Amino acid sequence: MRKTESQKIALCGMLGALSVVLLLLGSALQIGTYAAPMLAAFLLIPVLEEYGTRYALTLYVCVAILAVLFVPETELALFYVLVMGYYPVLRVKLNGIKSTLLRWVLKFAVFNAGTVLVYLLLFALLGPAVLDELLADGVGMLAALLVAGNLSFWLCDRALAALTRYYHVILKPKLKKKF
């Protein structure tokens, strides 16, 4: 059965609203700065799988604009906008690369470039206090945070793969029966 435009827009609207709520809740929790954008990115999966790249990117852009306007924690909003929000769409394209090594090098390069961009923007917006906070515990701690961030990104990528499979195997058949 072919989905109408109004059905597509309704699903995107509901998932967009839920994404913004997750980002707002994330700003209230200390760990939410990184977890909330990842969880919000997971909500792109049904749109990407059912309606394609165009609708998924439109949803991402809408949530990104709302995040910048309404999420009180700038770091969280920028992390969604520049690192995680678009990643499910990009991941599909990167997974088309045959070389596993090249694919992972590119995935980590995108993640790290986006993360560096977030902190450069925070430095530009908020001044040297950002750099002071990053270096407060020393360069060793900063390196450990970078390693932890990359591990979290790898786990997020694996979770996207598992959730996409779960969507196709479990959720989609159940939803087709109900609707």
Side-chain angles (χ1 to χ4, degrees):
M1 182 173 146
R2 186 161 185 222
K3 302 288 185 211
T4 66
E5 284 298 307
S6 59
Q7 289 172 314
K8 292 176 184 179
I9 292 169
L11 179 64
C12 289
M14 288 188 306
L15 293 177
L18 186 54
S19 294
V20 172
V21 167
L22 280 171
L23 295 174
L24 288 168
L25 287 173
S27 66
L29 306 170
Q30 189 68 22
I31 194 167
T33 302
Y34 305 105
M38 290 179 181
L39 293 173
F42 293 160
L43 294 176
L44 282 179
I45 292 171
V47 175
L48 182 60
E49 295 300 313
E50 293 298 320
Y51 310 138
T53 301
R54 186 173 133 237
Y55 278 89
L57 286 175
T58 302
L59 175 58
Y60 154 71
V61 168
C62 291
V63 172
I65 290 168
L66 292 171
V68 169
L69 292 174
F70 298 114
V71 172
E73 189 181 337
T74 307
E75 184 179 8
L76 185 150
L78 289 177
F79 195 73
Y80 178 81
V81 172
L82 298 173
V83 181
M84 289 311 306
Y86 61 87
Y87 183 69
V89 176
L90 180 61
R91 183 181 176 279
V92 170
K93 302 296 182 195
L94 292 174
N95 281 345
I97 298 171
K98 292 186 193 275
S99 168
T100 302
L101 177 63
L102 178 60
R103 181 172 55 245
W104 279 105
V105 165
L106 289 173
K107 285 180 178 185
F108 281 111
V110 166
F111 171 77
N112 285 289
T115 302
V116 166
L117 187 55
V118 165
Y119 288 101
L120 287 174
L121 282 171
L122 286 172
F123 182 76
L125 292 171
L126 305 174
V130 173
L131 186 59
D132 293 342
E133 185 180 332
L134 284 174
L135 295 175
D137 294 321
V139 176
M141 181 57 88
L142 187 59
L145 286 172
L146 183 61
V147 169
N150 278 277
L151 177 61
S152 296
F153 170 72
W154 179 78
L155 290 170
C156 180
D157 184 88
R158 299 295 72 212
L160 278 166
L163 288 170
T164 301
R165 280 190 301 277
Y166 179 80
Y167 174 77
H168 281 287
V169 173
I170 306 292
L171 288 180
K172 189 174 180 177
K174 285 183 179 180
L175 291 173
K176 282 198 180 220
K177 287 180 185 177
K178 293 193 183 246
F179 300 102

